[in-house]
Amino acid sequence: MSQLVCLSNLENLNALFIQEKEPQTERLRKLNQIAIQQMKLLTDDSRIRQLEARDK
């Protein structure tokens, strides 16, 4: 579930960066950094882990 949330956020941000005419290399750098931050937050949150365990 965490990965899907992160992916959805990244897709939206990528569309925004494209609309702002951000160069691809800069978009990828930003998206990678954001993905790392989001996954750390999502995987460290015990409430998310409980939801994921319940869905299995």
Side-chain angles (χ1 to χ4, degrees):
M1 184 176 352
S2 297
Q3 292 169 343
L4 292 175
V5 170
C6 185
L7 181 59
S8 177
N9 290 340
L10 293 173
E11 288 173 343
N12 289 324
L13 286 169
N14 191 45
L16 177 67
F17 294 156
I18 290 170
Q19 187 176 19
E20 293 176 348
K21 300 187 183 343
E22 193 84 41
Q24 183 181 15
T25 54
E26 186 62 17
R27 284 197 328 261
L28 291 174
R29 187 191 65 74
K30 286 181 178 181
L31 291 169
N32 186 50
Q33 184 179 24
I34 292 166
I36 291 168
Q37 291 171 342
Q38 284 190 2
M39 287 306 297
K40 283 181 183 177
L41 288 172
L42 291 169
T43 56
D44 287 345
D45 190 329
S46 63
R47 293 170 294 180
I48 299 292
R49 286 196 308 268
Q50 288 173 350
L51 283 173
E52 288 177 335
R54 188 175 57 180
D55 287 343
K56 288 183 180 180

